[in-house]
């Protein structure tokens, strides 16, 4: 995934978390423990997926 993918997922997460970058970074850090070789864009996507599942 490219930097544009990272920007895309970051923008989606900022909208979902009401610009709460701290929550996003905590989520990325937690996902990094489970997926140490994943790119930042992949981690952001996983965090976004989790947030969307939690909102159901």
């Amino acid at each position: 995934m490219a930097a544009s993918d990272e920007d895309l997922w970051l923008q989606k997460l900022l909208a979902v978390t009401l610009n709460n970058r701290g929550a996003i970074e905590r989520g990325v850090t937690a996902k990094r423990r489970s997926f140490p070789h994943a790119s930042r864009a992949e981690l952001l996507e996983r965090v976004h997926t989790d947030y969307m599942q939690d909102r159901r």
Side-chain angles (χ1 to χ4, degrees), residues 11-46:
Q11 290 306 313
K12 285 185 175 189
L13 274 167
L14 287 170
V16 171
T17 63
L18 304 176
N19 294 321
N20 188 343
R21 288 185 180 266
I24 295 169
E25 293 307 320
R26 287 189 297 276
V28 168
T29 299
K31 290 294 178 191
R32 171 91 47 213
R33 291 185 192 122
S34 299
F35 305 97
H37 300 295
S39 69
R40 180 167 169 79
E42 291 169 334
L43 296 171
L44 288 168
E45 182 178 2
R46 289 177 185 275

Side-chain angles (χ1 to χ4, degrees), residues 9 13 43-54:
W9 289 112
L13 274 167
L43 296 171
L44 288 168
E45 182 178 2
R46 289 177 185 275
V47 171
H48 181 268
T49 300
D50 288 351
Y51 266 96
M52 297 312 290
Q53 288 176 348
D54 288 346

